[in-house]
Amino acid sequence: MPVATGTHIQLLEREPELTLIEELLGEGLHGRGSLLVVEGPAGIGKSSLLRAAGDRARADGLAVLQATGRDAEREFAFGGCLQLFERLVADPGRGEGLLVGAADLARPLLEGGTAEDSPGGPDRAFGLLHGLYWLTANLAEEEPLVIAVDDAHWLDDPSLRFLRYLAVRIEELPVTLLVSWRTGEHSSASEHLAALSLEPVCRRVELAPLSHASVAAIVGARLGGAEPEFCEACADLTGGNPLYVSELVGTIRDAGLDGRADEARRVSSLRPHAVAASVLARLAHRGDDAMALARALAVAGDGTGLIRACALASLEPGAAVAAADALVEAGLLAGSEPLTFSHPIVREAVYDDIPAAARARRHADAAILLHDEGADPELVASQLLRSSLIGHRWAVDELRLAARRALGRGAPAATTRYLRRALEERLDPPLRAELLAECGFAARLTGEADALELLDAAVELSSEPLERARMLAASGQGLLEQGRLDAAVAAYDRGLAELDANPDAPPELRAKLWAGREIGARFGSPSASSSPPALKPSGDEPTTAGERSLLAFDAFHRATTIKATCPEIREVALRALGDGRDFIEGDARRTAIFLVFALGICEEYDTVIRMCEKTLLLARRRGSVFAHANASHALATIRHRSGQLSEAVADATAACDAARYGWELYHPSARAMLAEALIDRGELDAAEEALDVPDHRERWGRSAPYFWFVASRARLDLVRGRWQPALDGFHHCDRTTAAFGGRNPAIYPWRSGAALAAMHLGDPDQARELVADELRDARRWGAPRAIGIALRTHGLIEGGDAGIELLSESAAELRRSPSPVEEARTLIDLGAALRRGGRRRDAREPLTRGLDVARRCQAHGLAERAQEELRAAGARPRRLDLTGAEALTPMERRTAGLAADGLSNREVAQSLFLTVRTVEMHLTNAYRKLGISSRRELGGALGR
């Protein structure tokens, strides 16, 4: 066995782990990513193994990025990511070349700013994670990459989230991710670390203690020889932990032992397994200056420069240099510039030995020193979190700045910690009110129990009504984003009450409060909704975002309650829209849902699609998964109605996927839209899966979007012949629409569904009453789609010649509507009715037309039914072999469409929040199904 000295001690008996690392590095060189997790107790050699892996990677020509979790910096949002990437991006020769495409989303973080238009919640964090992932991909494209993260149990929460985001996608990148953490640590990191270990790609090793033979080799080499009995006692006492062995040998030497067998009994009295005692004993041997310097470094943290540590320790420069050299010689420091402890356990031992009150004062001294140096606010704040009270305004300002930066990076939990510490300082009432409001807003984003109390306290302290109204507006917005709609309405109501006493309040603030309130009311407790404030006369054009919001809601309100006709509402909605910028990227974007809704039921499909596609482009550029989901949800609805079923499935799937990142408010209706499109495509099992949410009633039952979820479940029951569940579901829609504020059948024709279910259950009187009621409202509204659906249902219920006449009238109405699937459905029902009436020849024309429309929309279920009816009518339709664009899955069609628009595979992946390999798979399948071999042929093959 080789002589074990220095850092080689902790690599003894690690040949299997080093071989595995060599294997994973080889996979990286061949373009395959991997994840290795290294676990073990403190001192077992995790850091040494990662350092050896980095050395081996560099020797093999791989780039290496390294980060280390530090207890003193775990509040620093994205601190671990900054360790990995900040220096690279700061290099003027490389930074701009790396921050291209979606990687540019990480620029605000890496260049020290905050993101544009930052909401500060999970959506902002997602944008940064997405940007960091693509930065990693850009780096790996230059050369295979190794990312080594040591002591991940001390890593900040956003950096841990990045590791998880990367791990899910790592197989498709030439990236080897090595992560180590200490077992037995229970902290906020535990959930993330457990999730990493469960990733399918993860290879996991738990380092074992050294054998007695290796311990004997270490002890013998360090003492210049030792007898077996003495070495056996050392092995028993240390349990084979390499750090404990090293500490024990240092203690043995300080005690003057030689390693003889008769000294074995004395080994146990040294108690080196209590490493803290060993460290402190060795530290005491180095004198007061060494103790002062070590304590200063324990407070300031690893990586502190000698000059700063010298100032904190109140030492003269010469004495500080001598003390640093003594600590390095004793093995307590790894180096003297910058100063770094030889192991985190050494720092812990020194830090824990400082009395609590003295520690708090030392952290205050460190904060003052960092502030005077102009250090990063989050570094100053990390010291202030542990310090005694400062008593100066600058401390509050530093904490507040750090909080705002953390919020801008999507780390509201760090924000609240900074602000709670700031609230401990002496503050005048106005400043305290501001801090309470900021803290309460951030606390709401994280769901902290006292968030409401903080905001209430802020409002109570503020003496300015306008300021209170602004606080309540921010409060309401935070609650909306969390889906806590009733609480949001209450906050907005309080804000509006503040403005009622102030006639000179800015109109935009009133409009913002009112619009937010109505979102909460309409989608939470619709019965609490109210009429909009006074609008400009109908002849005046809106000029501000607030006026456009109010006009959009006016259109929405009158449309749902049928207090105006479809043409009248269309005119109002288009006037509110203007050029669309206020709703796409301006202050009216929070109320865009009202405008989209109104335009959608007015059958202005092309207008809505253009608006949503622009919103999607902006969301992709900003990496906003929530804005992307909102726009995808709206597009799914409109594309379903306009017969673009494959696109509707892809859009709805993209919206539902965003639920992983906290997108919840419209999640039930997004699932409903996915199911609706799948039902029309004839994919009933997939529709069942989309609606299979066991806790749906408890999760969404009090929100208005749940209406669509219930309606879609009822429709699926109807299609599957489950008549009673269908009828019950549609009657639940009746109760919901009464609260929602209107029964416009253009929203959803639930009475038609209920009528068909009632007819199958043998209750024709209920069926006729329901459909007559719906047809009356549909004619009052005046949109062809709603009228056509009601007429079709009426015709199916009446049957015979009267039914055929009603079906013919339905087909004529739907021919005027941009809803081809409904037209195809009526044409097929009409042809079937003619065939059953003995008019087989007359049946063929509507059946053939219905089949053609259904094929174009990829409504495969309808197309199959049309074929069956045509055969029964004596025709010989060609088989429904899906070829070309019809054979593509929704996601294949989506990726192929973007590729046909000129986007590269990489750009398609960034736009759809996918990986490049996933895009390549979809395009390969699309090429095969389309029978093409090049990108240039895509446009023609897709029928563009």
mmCIF file of all heavy atoms in Angstrom, residues 883-897:
data_model
loop_
_atom_site.group_PDB
_atom_site.id
_atom_site.type_symbol
_atom_site.label_atom_id
_atom_site.label_comp_id
_atom_site.label_asym_id
_atom_site.label_seq_id
_atom_site.Cartn_x
_atom_site.Cartn_y
_atom_site.Cartn_z
ATOM 1 N N THR A 883 -52.547 9.691 -43.246
ATOM 2 C CA THR A 883 -51.247 9.910 -43.877
ATOM 3 C C THR A 883 -50.935 11.392 -43.845
ATOM 4 O O THR A 883 -51.797 12.234 -43.574
ATOM 5 C CB THR A 883 -51.259 9.421 -45.342
ATOM 6 O OG1 THR A 883 -52.281 10.146 -46.050
ATOM 7 C CG2 THR A 883 -51.549 7.932 -45.424
ATOM 8 N N GLY A 884 -49.703 11.698 -44.146
ATOM 9 C CA GLY A 884 -49.296 13.091 -44.229
ATOM 10 C C GLY A 884 -49.520 13.825 -42.924
ATOM 11 O O GLY A 884 -49.365 13.292 -41.827
ATOM 12 N N ALA A 885 -49.945 15.100 -43.038
ATOM 13 C CA ALA A 885 -50.113 15.943 -41.852
ATOM 14 C C ALA A 885 -51.163 15.382 -40.905
ATOM 15 O O ALA A 885 -51.091 15.581 -39.694
ATOM 16 C CB ALA A 885 -50.491 17.366 -42.280
ATOM 17 N N GLU A 886 -52.175 14.644 -41.451
ATOM 18 C CA GLU A 886 -53.218 14.089 -40.591
ATOM 19 C C GLU A 886 -52.665 13.057 -39.618
ATOM 20 O O GLU A 886 -53.247 12.802 -38.565
ATOM 21 C CB GLU A 886 -54.321 13.442 -41.437
ATOM 22 C CG GLU A 886 -55.171 14.445 -42.204
ATOM 23 C CD GLU A 886 -56.311 13.760 -42.931
ATOM 24 O OE1 GLU A 886 -56.344 12.515 -42.937
ATOM 25 O OE2 GLU A 886 -57.167 14.468 -43.481
ATOM 26 N N ALA A 887 -51.536 12.435 -39.976
ATOM 27 C CA ALA A 887 -50.989 11.369 -39.135
ATOM 28 C C ALA A 887 -50.121 11.896 -38.000
ATOM 29 O O ALA A 887 -49.726 11.135 -37.122
ATOM 30 C CB ALA A 887 -50.162 10.409 -40.003
ATOM 31 N N LEU A 888 -49.819 13.195 -38.005
ATOM 32 C CA LEU A 888 -48.934 13.746 -36.987
ATOM 33 C C LEU A 888 -49.652 13.857 -35.633
ATOM 34 O O LEU A 888 -50.834 14.181 -35.574
ATOM 35 C CB LEU A 888 -48.448 15.134 -37.396
ATOM 36 C CG LEU A 888 -47.642 15.247 -38.692
ATOM 37 C CD1 LEU A 888 -47.208 16.694 -38.904
ATOM 38 C CD2 LEU A 888 -46.441 14.321 -38.685
ATOM 39 N N THR A 889 -48.915 13.591 -34.570
ATOM 40 C CA THR A 889 -49.441 13.877 -33.239
ATOM 41 C C THR A 889 -49.444 15.394 -33.046
ATOM 42 O O THR A 889 -48.753 16.127 -33.774
ATOM 43 C CB THR A 889 -48.580 13.234 -32.144
ATOM 44 O OG1 THR A 889 -47.303 13.892 -32.124
ATOM 45 C CG2 THR A 889 -48.395 11.748 -32.382
ATOM 46 N N PRO A 890 -50.207 15.880 -32.075
ATOM 47 C CA PRO A 890 -50.231 17.333 -31.855
ATOM 48 C C PRO A 890 -48.848 17.940 -31.637
ATOM 49 O O PRO A 890 -48.548 19.006 -32.186
ATOM 50 C CB PRO A 890 -51.116 17.475 -30.615
ATOM 51 C CG PRO A 890 -52.043 16.310 -30.689
ATOM 52 C CD PRO A 890 -51.218 15.195 -31.238
ATOM 53 N N MET A 891 -47.996 17.281 -30.844
ATOM 54 C CA MET A 891 -46.679 17.861 -30.588
ATOM 55 C C MET A 891 -45.774 17.758 -31.813
ATOM 56 O O MET A 891 -44.954 18.640 -32.069
ATOM 57 C CB MET A 891 -46.026 17.185 -29.380
ATOM 58 C CG MET A 891 -44.791 17.928 -28.870
ATOM 59 S SD MET A 891 -45.064 19.709 -28.568
ATOM 60 C CE MET A 891 -46.042 19.647 -27.078
ATOM 61 N N GLU A 892 -45.912 16.694 -32.610
ATOM 62 C CA GLU A 892 -45.164 16.610 -33.861
ATOM 63 C C GLU A 892 -45.579 17.735 -34.799
ATOM 64 O O GLU A 892 -44.741 18.354 -35.461
ATOM 65 C CB GLU A 892 -45.410 15.248 -34.524
ATOM 66 C CG GLU A 892 -44.729 14.088 -33.809
ATOM 67 C CD GLU A 892 -45.251 12.726 -34.248
ATOM 68 O OE1 GLU A 892 -46.181 12.680 -35.098
ATOM 69 O OE2 GLU A 892 -44.751 11.716 -33.732
ATOM 70 N N ARG A 893 -46.863 18.005 -34.841
ATOM 71 C CA ARG A 893 -47.357 19.088 -35.699
ATOM 72 C C ARG A 893 -46.843 20.437 -35.213
ATOM 73 O O ARG A 893 -46.470 21.298 -36.008
ATOM 74 C CB ARG A 893 -48.892 19.065 -35.698
ATOM 75 C CG ARG A 893 -49.531 19.947 -36.761
ATOM 76 C CD ARG A 893 -51.039 19.834 -36.708
ATOM 77 N NE ARG A 893 -51.665 20.591 -37.773
ATOM 78 C CZ ARG A 893 -51.959 20.111 -38.965
ATOM 79 N NH1 ARG A 893 -51.676 18.849 -39.247
ATOM 80 N NH2 ARG A 893 -52.534 20.865 -39.883
ATOM 81 N N ARG A 894 -46.825 20.622 -33.884
ATOM 82 C CA ARG A 894 -46.355 21.889 -33.328
ATOM 83 C C ARG A 894 -44.857 22.116 -33.636
ATOM 84 O O ARG A 894 -44.468 23.193 -34.097
ATOM 85 C CB ARG A 894 -46.582 21.887 -31.811
ATOM 86 C CG ARG A 894 -46.013 23.078 -31.054
ATOM 87 C CD ARG A 894 -46.621 24.397 -31.507
ATOM 88 N NE ARG A 894 -48.060 24.351 -31.520
ATOM 89 C CZ ARG A 894 -48.811 24.555 -30.432
ATOM 90 N NH1 ARG A 894 -48.250 24.820 -29.293
ATOM 91 N NH2 ARG A 894 -50.119 24.524 -30.527
ATOM 92 N N THR A 895 -44.024 21.122 -33.385
ATOM 93 C CA THR A 895 -42.587 21.291 -33.646
ATOM 94 C C THR A 895 -42.320 21.435 -35.142
ATOM 95 O O THR A 895 -41.487 22.252 -35.549
ATOM 96 C CB THR A 895 -41.797 20.100 -33.084
ATOM 97 O OG1 THR A 895 -42.361 18.874 -33.562
ATOM 98 C CG2 THR A 895 -41.830 20.084 -31.571
ATOM 99 N N ALA A 896 -43.042 20.665 -35.961
ATOM 100 C CA ALA A 896 -42.847 20.778 -37.408
ATOM 101 C C ALA A 896 -43.263 22.152 -37.905
ATOM 102 O O ALA A 896 -42.618 22.739 -38.784
ATOM 103 C CB ALA A 896 -43.637 19.683 -38.125
ATOM 104 N N GLY A 897 -44.356 22.693 -37.335
ATOM 105 C CA GLY A 897 -44.812 24.020 -37.748
ATOM 106 C C GLY A 897 -43.795 25.094 -37.434
ATOM 107 O O GLY A 897 -43.524 25.978 -38.260
#
